[in-house]
Amino acid sequence: MPLTLASTSVVVASIPALIGFTPENSLVLIATLTNDDGSAGTGPLTRIDLTHLTRHADDCVQLFSRQCGELAVSCVTGVVVRADDEDTADDGALPPRADVDSVIAQLAERGFVDVDVVSVPAIAEGARWRSYRDTGRTGVLPDPASTAAAAAAIAAGHTIAASRDDLAARFTPAPGNLRACLQPHIADAVEHAVIDQDSNLAAHRRLARADAAIRAACHGELPADDAAIADLAATFATLLFRDALLAVPDETARLAAENLLLHLWRHTDEPIASQLATVLGIHAYLRGDGAGARIALANADPEQPLADLLSHLLGHAVAPSKIYDLVQNGSADARRTLLSEPVPDQA
Protein backbone atom coordinates (compact mmCIF):
# COMPACT_ATOMS: atom_id res chain seq x y z
CA MET A 1 0.00 0.00 0.00
CA PRO A 2 2.35 2.77 -1.21
CA LEU A 3 1.74 6.26 0.06
CA THR A 4 0.40 8.98 -2.24
CA LEU A 5 2.44 12.08 -2.96
CA ALA A 6 0.33 14.07 -0.51
CA SER A 7 0.53 11.47 2.26
CA THR A 8 4.29 11.11 1.79
CA SER A 9 4.61 14.88 2.24
CA VAL A 10 2.60 14.70 5.46
CA VAL A 11 4.62 11.77 6.81
CA VAL A 12 7.90 13.62 6.17
CA ALA A 13 6.58 16.86 7.69
CA SER A 14 5.41 14.93 10.78
CA ILE A 15 8.88 13.70 11.69
CA PRO A 16 9.78 16.54 14.14
CA ALA A 17 6.61 15.88 16.14
CA LEU A 18 7.21 12.13 16.11
CA ILE A 19 10.81 12.26 17.35
CA GLY A 20 10.71 15.47 19.37
CA PHE A 21 13.12 17.54 17.30
CA THR A 22 13.83 18.60 13.71
CA PRO A 23 16.54 16.28 12.36
CA GLU A 24 19.46 17.34 10.20
CA ASN A 25 21.93 15.15 8.29
CA SER A 26 19.91 12.09 9.22
CA LEU A 27 18.19 9.04 7.81
CA VAL A 28 14.76 8.39 9.31
CA LEU A 29 12.93 5.13 8.61
CA ILE A 30 9.17 5.22 9.25
CA ALA A 31 6.79 2.26 9.15
CA THR A 32 3.24 2.67 7.90
CA LEU A 33 0.90 0.20 9.60
CA THR A 34 -2.40 -1.23 8.42
CA ASN A 35 -5.05 -0.75 11.11
CA ASP A 36 -7.84 -3.24 11.79
CA ASP A 37 -10.31 -1.06 9.89
CA GLY A 38 -8.06 -0.99 6.83
CA SER A 39 -6.81 2.54 7.38
CA ALA A 40 -3.13 3.45 7.51
CA GLY A 41 -1.26 4.83 10.51
CA THR A 42 2.30 5.76 11.43
CA GLY A 43 4.23 3.04 13.21
CA PRO A 44 7.76 2.68 14.63
CA LEU A 45 10.58 4.86 13.36
CA THR A 46 14.35 4.94 13.61
CA ARG A 47 16.74 7.88 13.14
CA ILE A 48 20.44 7.55 12.43
CA ASP A 49 23.14 10.15 11.69
CA LEU A 50 24.29 10.10 8.07
CA THR A 51 27.89 9.89 9.25
CA HIS A 52 26.98 6.64 11.02
CA LEU A 53 24.98 5.40 8.05
CA THR A 54 28.01 5.39 5.77
CA ARG A 55 29.72 2.82 8.01
CA HIS A 56 26.87 0.97 9.67
CA ALA A 57 23.79 0.83 7.45
CA ASP A 58 23.05 -2.62 8.87
CA ASP A 59 22.73 -1.17 12.39
CA CYS A 60 19.92 1.14 11.31
CA VAL A 61 18.05 -1.63 9.49
CA GLN A 62 18.48 -4.05 12.38
CA LEU A 63 17.18 -1.55 14.93
CA PHE A 64 14.21 -0.67 12.73
CA SER A 65 13.36 -4.36 12.21
CA ARG A 66 13.39 -5.00 15.96
CA GLN A 67 11.01 -2.12 16.54
CA CYS A 68 8.56 -3.39 13.94
CA GLY A 69 8.57 -6.93 15.32
CA GLU A 70 5.37 -8.71 14.25
CA LEU A 71 3.47 -5.53 13.37
CA ALA A 72 1.49 -5.36 10.14
CA VAL A 73 3.81 -3.04 8.21
CA SER A 74 2.33 -2.13 4.83
CA CYS A 75 5.20 0.05 3.61
CA VAL A 76 8.34 1.83 4.77
CA THR A 77 9.32 5.41 4.02
CA GLY A 78 12.95 6.42 4.40
CA VAL A 79 13.77 10.12 4.65
CA VAL A 80 17.29 11.43 4.06
CA VAL A 81 17.59 14.95 5.48
CA ARG A 82 20.66 16.56 3.96
CA ALA A 83 21.11 20.33 3.88
CA ASP A 84 23.40 20.39 0.83
CA ASP A 85 20.98 18.37 -1.30
CA GLU A 86 20.65 20.15 -4.65
CA ASP A 87 17.27 20.64 -6.30
CA THR A 88 17.79 18.44 -9.35
CA ALA A 89 15.55 15.93 -11.04
CA ASP A 90 18.43 13.48 -11.54
CA ASP A 91 17.94 10.96 -8.74
CA GLY A 92 21.36 9.51 -9.43
CA ALA A 93 22.86 12.68 -7.99
CA LEU A 94 21.09 12.28 -4.67
CA PRO A 95 23.58 11.57 -1.87
CA PRO A 96 24.35 9.16 -0.27
CA ARG A 97 23.14 6.90 -3.09
CA ALA A 98 25.16 3.74 -2.35
CA ASP A 99 24.24 3.72 1.34
CA VAL A 100 20.55 4.22 0.56
CA ASP A 101 20.63 1.35 -1.93
CA SER A 102 22.23 -0.81 0.77
CA VAL A 103 19.47 0.07 3.25
CA ILE A 104 16.76 -0.72 0.70
CA ALA A 105 18.36 -4.09 -0.11
CA GLN A 106 18.72 -5.03 3.56
CA LEU A 107 15.13 -4.05 4.28
CA ALA A 108 14.01 -6.30 1.41
CA GLU A 109 15.99 -9.18 2.93
CA ARG A 110 13.98 -8.72 6.11
CA GLY A 111 10.65 -8.77 4.30
CA PHE A 112 10.10 -5.03 3.81
CA VAL A 113 9.55 -4.99 0.06
CA ASP A 114 7.40 -1.86 -0.31
CA VAL A 115 10.06 0.75 0.47
CA ASP A 116 10.51 4.28 -0.81
CA VAL A 117 13.37 6.52 0.27
CA VAL A 118 13.18 10.24 -0.36
CA SER A 119 15.66 13.06 0.02
CA VAL A 120 14.81 16.49 1.42
CA PRO A 121 17.14 19.42 2.21
CA ALA A 122 15.25 20.32 5.39
CA ILE A 123 11.99 19.50 7.11
CA ALA A 124 10.36 22.85 6.60
CA GLU A 125 7.35 24.29 4.84
CA GLY A 126 7.89 24.44 1.09
CA ALA A 127 10.89 22.09 1.03
CA ARG A 128 10.80 19.70 -1.93
CA TRP A 129 11.43 16.00 -1.46
CA ARG A 130 12.53 13.63 -4.22
CA SER A 131 12.48 9.86 -4.41
CA TYR A 132 15.59 7.77 -4.86
CA ARG A 133 13.59 5.01 -6.53
CA ASP A 134 11.37 6.99 -8.92
CA THR A 135 12.65 10.13 -10.60
CA GLY A 136 9.12 11.37 -11.24
CA ARG A 137 8.03 11.01 -7.63
CA THR A 138 8.36 14.33 -5.81
CA GLY A 139 6.36 16.62 -3.56
CA VAL A 140 6.44 19.71 -1.36
CA LEU A 141 6.20 19.69 2.44
CA PRO A 142 3.40 21.43 4.30
CA ASP A 143 4.15 23.41 7.47
CA PRO A 144 5.36 20.78 10.00
CA ALA A 145 3.47 22.66 12.73
CA SER A 146 0.19 22.11 10.86
CA THR A 147 0.31 18.30 10.88
CA ALA A 148 -1.94 16.14 13.01
CA ALA A 149 1.17 14.69 14.68
CA ALA A 150 2.26 18.17 15.76
CA ALA A 151 -1.19 18.96 17.14
CA ALA A 152 -1.21 15.70 19.11
CA ALA A 153 2.28 16.33 20.47
CA ILE A 154 1.42 19.85 21.62
CA ALA A 155 -1.86 18.67 23.18
CA ALA A 156 0.11 16.08 25.14
CA GLY A 157 2.53 18.75 26.39
CA HIS A 158 5.50 17.45 24.42
CA THR A 159 8.34 19.70 23.33
CA ILE A 160 9.37 19.84 19.67
CA ALA A 161 12.92 21.18 19.65
CA ALA A 162 14.54 22.93 16.71
CA SER A 163 17.37 20.37 16.74
CA ARG A 164 18.72 17.46 18.72
CA ASP A 165 21.34 19.82 20.16
CA ASP A 166 18.55 22.02 21.48
CA LEU A 167 16.95 18.96 23.06
CA ALA A 168 20.25 18.00 24.68
CA ALA A 169 20.74 21.58 25.89
CA ARG A 170 17.92 20.99 28.36
CA PHE A 171 20.60 19.19 30.38
CA THR A 172 22.45 22.36 31.29
CA PRO A 173 23.31 22.45 34.99
CA ALA A 174 22.70 25.42 37.24
CA PRO A 175 25.73 27.63 38.02
CA GLY A 176 28.46 25.84 39.94
CA ASN A 177 28.29 28.09 43.00
CA LEU A 178 24.57 27.41 43.37
CA ARG A 179 25.09 23.65 43.13
CA ALA A 180 28.00 23.82 45.56
CA CYS A 181 25.82 25.54 48.15
CA LEU A 182 23.16 22.88 47.79
CA GLN A 183 25.41 19.81 48.03
CA PRO A 184 25.71 19.68 51.86
CA HIS A 185 21.92 19.95 52.15
CA ILE A 186 21.43 17.19 49.58
CA ALA A 187 23.93 14.94 51.36
CA ASP A 188 22.03 15.40 54.64
CA ALA A 189 18.73 14.79 52.86
CA VAL A 190 20.03 11.52 51.40
CA GLU A 191 20.96 10.30 54.87
CA HIS A 192 17.45 11.10 56.10
CA ALA A 193 15.85 9.40 53.06
CA VAL A 194 17.78 6.20 53.74
CA ILE A 195 16.57 6.25 57.35
CA ASP A 196 13.00 6.99 56.27
CA GLN A 197 12.90 3.76 54.27
CA ASP A 198 12.57 1.88 57.57
CA SER A 199 9.81 4.04 59.04
CA ASN A 200 6.29 3.67 57.64
CA LEU A 201 5.18 7.10 58.87
CA ALA A 202 8.30 8.88 57.59
CA ALA A 203 8.06 7.01 54.28
CA HIS A 204 4.42 8.01 53.92
CA ARG A 205 5.28 11.67 54.46
CA ARG A 206 8.22 11.55 52.05
CA LEU A 207 6.16 9.89 49.32
CA ALA A 208 3.37 12.40 49.87
CA ARG A 209 5.81 15.28 49.35
CA ALA A 210 7.11 13.74 46.13
CA ASP A 211 3.61 12.96 44.85
CA ALA A 212 2.57 16.56 45.57
CA ALA A 213 5.65 17.87 43.72
CA ILE A 214 4.72 15.82 40.63
CA ARG A 215 1.15 17.15 40.75
CA ALA A 216 2.50 20.71 41.04
CA ALA A 217 4.80 20.09 38.08
CA CYS A 218 1.72 19.16 36.04
CA HIS A 219 0.83 22.87 36.36
CA GLY A 220 4.35 24.08 35.64
CA GLU A 221 5.20 24.67 39.31
CA LEU A 222 8.72 23.54 40.26
CA PRO A 223 10.36 23.83 43.70
CA ALA A 224 12.45 26.95 44.30
CA ASP A 225 13.26 26.47 47.98
CA ASP A 226 16.68 24.91 48.64
CA ALA A 227 15.32 22.62 51.33
CA ALA A 228 12.58 21.32 49.03
CA ILE A 229 15.03 20.75 46.17
CA ALA A 230 17.41 18.84 48.44
CA ASP A 231 14.59 16.78 49.94
CA LEU A 232 13.12 15.79 46.56
CA ALA A 233 16.51 15.07 44.97
CA ALA A 234 17.31 12.71 47.84
CA THR A 235 13.92 11.03 47.54
CA PHE A 236 14.18 10.29 43.81
CA ALA A 237 17.78 9.10 44.23
CA THR A 238 17.05 6.65 47.05
CA LEU A 239 16.34 3.15 45.74
CA LEU A 240 12.99 2.20 47.29
CA PHE A 241 11.52 5.69 46.99
CA ARG A 242 12.77 5.93 43.39
CA ASP A 243 11.04 2.66 42.52
CA ALA A 244 7.85 3.59 44.35
CA LEU A 245 7.60 6.81 42.34
CA LEU A 246 8.00 5.24 38.87
CA ALA A 247 4.27 4.49 38.66
CA VAL A 248 2.27 7.61 37.81
CA PRO A 249 -1.45 7.98 37.03
CA ASP A 250 -1.17 9.13 33.40
CA GLU A 251 1.12 10.48 30.68
CA THR A 252 0.63 14.07 31.86
CA ALA A 253 2.02 13.11 35.26
CA ARG A 254 4.88 11.20 33.63
CA LEU A 255 5.92 14.23 31.60
CA ALA A 256 5.60 16.34 34.76
CA ALA A 257 7.85 13.89 36.61
CA GLU A 258 10.44 14.31 33.84
CA ASN A 259 10.32 18.08 34.13
CA LEU A 260 10.63 17.88 37.90
CA LEU A 261 13.56 15.47 37.70
CA LEU A 262 15.33 17.66 35.14
CA HIS A 263 14.89 20.65 37.45
CA LEU A 264 16.37 18.67 40.34
CA TRP A 265 19.20 17.35 38.14
CA ARG A 266 20.26 20.89 37.27
CA HIS A 267 20.81 21.59 40.96
CA THR A 268 22.80 18.45 41.85
CA ASP A 269 26.31 17.08 41.38
CA GLU A 270 27.51 13.49 41.13
CA PRO A 271 26.58 10.87 42.13
CA ILE A 272 23.02 12.14 42.67
CA ALA A 273 22.88 13.80 39.25
CA SER A 274 23.51 10.47 37.47
CA GLN A 275 20.81 8.76 39.48
CA LEU A 276 18.27 11.47 38.68
CA ALA A 277 19.19 11.39 34.96
CA THR A 278 18.58 7.64 34.88
CA VAL A 279 15.14 7.95 36.44
CA LEU A 280 14.30 10.76 34.03
CA GLY A 281 15.39 8.50 31.16
CA ILE A 282 13.09 5.71 32.33
CA HIS A 283 10.12 8.09 32.39
CA ALA A 284 10.99 9.38 28.91
CA TYR A 285 11.33 5.83 27.60
CA LEU A 286 7.99 4.76 29.06
CA ARG A 287 6.40 7.79 27.41
CA GLY A 288 7.79 6.67 24.06
CA ASP A 289 10.39 9.44 23.83
CA GLY A 290 13.43 7.47 22.70
CA ALA A 291 15.46 10.58 21.87
CA GLY A 292 14.83 12.07 25.30
CA ALA A 293 15.68 8.76 26.98
CA ARG A 294 18.99 8.50 25.12
CA ILE A 295 19.96 12.07 25.99
CA ALA A 296 19.14 11.46 29.65
CA LEU A 297 21.16 8.24 29.56
CA ALA A 298 24.16 10.16 28.18
CA ASN A 299 24.11 12.14 31.45
CA ALA A 300 23.92 9.07 33.66
CA ASP A 301 26.52 6.67 35.03
CA PRO A 302 26.33 3.61 32.72
CA GLU A 303 27.47 1.39 35.58
CA GLN A 304 24.19 1.89 37.43
CA PRO A 305 21.98 -1.23 37.08
CA LEU A 306 18.94 0.84 36.07
CA ALA A 307 20.99 2.78 33.50
CA ASP A 308 22.35 -0.49 32.11
CA LEU A 309 18.79 -1.82 31.83
CA LEU A 310 17.62 1.30 30.01
CA SER A 311 20.58 1.05 27.63
CA HIS A 312 19.65 -2.54 26.76
CA LEU A 313 15.97 -1.64 26.28
CA LEU A 314 16.90 1.16 23.88
CA GLY A 315 19.60 -0.83 22.12
CA HIS A 316 17.26 -3.75 21.46
CA ALA A 317 14.31 -1.51 20.56
CA VAL A 318 12.06 -3.04 23.22
CA ALA A 319 8.69 -1.34 23.01
CA PRO A 320 7.73 0.47 26.25
CA SER A 321 4.44 -1.44 26.27
CA LYS A 322 6.43 -4.65 26.79
CA ILE A 323 7.64 -3.59 30.24
CA TYR A 324 4.97 -1.06 31.23
CA ASP A 325 3.03 -3.45 33.49
CA LEU A 326 6.28 -4.74 35.01
CA VAL A 327 7.29 -1.20 35.98
CA GLN A 328 3.85 -0.33 37.31
CA ASN A 329 3.60 -3.52 39.39
CA GLY A 330 7.17 -3.24 40.66
CA SER A 331 6.56 0.36 41.65
CA ALA A 332 3.38 -0.57 43.49
CA ASP A 333 5.26 -3.32 45.32
CA ALA A 334 7.96 -0.85 46.40
CA ARG A 335 5.33 1.54 47.73
CA ARG A 336 3.63 -1.24 49.67
CA THR A 337 6.99 -2.29 51.12
CA LEU A 338 7.70 1.25 52.31
CA LEU A 339 4.26 1.58 53.85
CA SER A 340 4.03 -2.05 55.05
CA GLU A 341 0.75 -2.49 53.21
CA PRO A 342 -0.55 -5.97 52.37
CA VAL A 343 -0.43 -7.25 48.81
CA PRO A 344 -3.94 -7.01 47.29
CA ASP A 345 -5.79 -10.17 46.36
CA GLN A 346 -5.22 -11.19 42.75
CA ALA A 347 -8.53 -13.04 42.39
Side-chain angles (χ1 to χ4, degrees):
M1 187 178 68
L3 297 176
T4 65
L5 296 182
S7 58
T8 297
S9 295
V10 171
V11 167
V12 177
S14 298
I15 288 175
L18 295 173
I19 67 175
F21 63 94
T22 302
E24 298 175 343
N25 296 313
S26 302
L27 167 67
V28 183
L29 294 176
I30 309 170
T32 297
L33 306 181
T34 302
N35 299 321
D36 293 338
D37 61 0
S39 63
T42 302
L45 60 79
T46 297
R47 188 205 69 88
I48 187 170
D49 290 338
L50 288 184
T51 53
H52 187 76
L53 174 67
T54 57
R55 300 187 303 274
H56 305 288
D58 53 331
D59 288 355
C60 184
V61 174
Q62 186 177 49
L63 179 60
F64 179 73
S65 299
R66 287 172 179 164
Q67 287 179 303
C68 291
E70 302 300 320
L71 296 173
V73 177
S74 59
C75 65
V76 177
T77 301
V79 182
V80 173
V81 186
R82 186 181 173 99
D84 60 356
D85 178 23
E86 296 181 359
D87 191 7
T88 171
D90 179 6
D91 73 320
L94 292 176
R97 181 82 208 192
D99 299 307
V100 168
D101 287 343
S102 175
V103 168
I104 292 172
Q106 291 185 52
L107 286 170
E109 291 174 0
R110 289 168 169 78
F112 302 103
V113 294
D114 192 349
V115 180
D116 190 21
V117 181
V118 306
S119 180
V120 67
I123 300 180
E125 184 176 12
R128 177 171 292 277
W129 60 264
R130 293 166 294 135
S131 174
Y132 282 86
R133 308 197 74 179
D134 181 351
T135 57
R137 188 169 159 74
T138 183
V140 175
L141 299 190
D143 180 1
S146 71
T147 64
I154 292 171
H158 298 177
T159 299
I160 304 176
S163 68
R164 192 179 189 279
D165 287 344
D166 284 355
L167 199 62
R170 297 171 64 226
F171 279 86
T172 299
N177 60 336
L178 178 59
R179 286 181 284 120
C181 289
L182 274 168
Q183 296 325 297
H185 301 291
I186 293 174
D188 289 343
V190 169
E191 292 182 5
H192 284 97
V194 171
I195 295 171
D196 287 352
Q197 291 180 112
D198 298 321
S199 168
N200 300 148
L201 180 58
H204 175 82
R205 290 172 174 167
R206 184 170 290 275
L207 287 172
R209 292 195 297 272
D211 290 337
I214 293 174
R215 289 194 298 272
C218 289
H219 304 287
E221 300 171 9
L222 298 172
D225 179 73
D226 287 355
I229 290 173
D231 178 68
L232 289 166
T235 300
F236 282 99
T238 302
L239 185 61
L240 267 179
F241 290 111
R242 176 203 73 187
D243 290 351
L245 291 162
L246 285 176
V248 292
D250 51 42
E251 291 304 285
T252 298
R254 193 169 298 286
L255 182 60
E258 287 181 53
N259 291 333
L260 173 61
L261 284 159
L262 181 59
H263 177 70
L264 299 175
W265 177 90
R266 290 179 176 138
H267 290 82
T268 59
D269 284 327
E270 298 298 344
I272 302 302
S274 280
Q275 295 164 347
L276 297 179
T278 301
V279 182
L280 193 160
I282 290 291
H283 280 292
Y285 164 76
L286 290 172
R287 197 169 47 80
D289 181 4
R294 286 182 172 86
I295 290 171
L297 194 58
N299 289 277
D301 178 2
E303 298 301 319
Q304 293 180 76
L306 190 61
D308 184 59
L309 171 62
L310 178 58
S311 179
H312 277 81
L313 292 170
L314 292 168
H316 289 82
V318 178
S321 59
K322 298 291 186 182
I323 70 158
Y324 182 82
D325 287 342
L326 180 65
V327 172
Q328 292 291 104
N329 293 336
S331 181
D333 287 343
R335 189 172 286 252
R336 280 192 291 267
T337 297
L338 285 166
L339 304 179
S340 294
E341 295 178 347
V343 177
D345 294 334
Q346 301 299 316

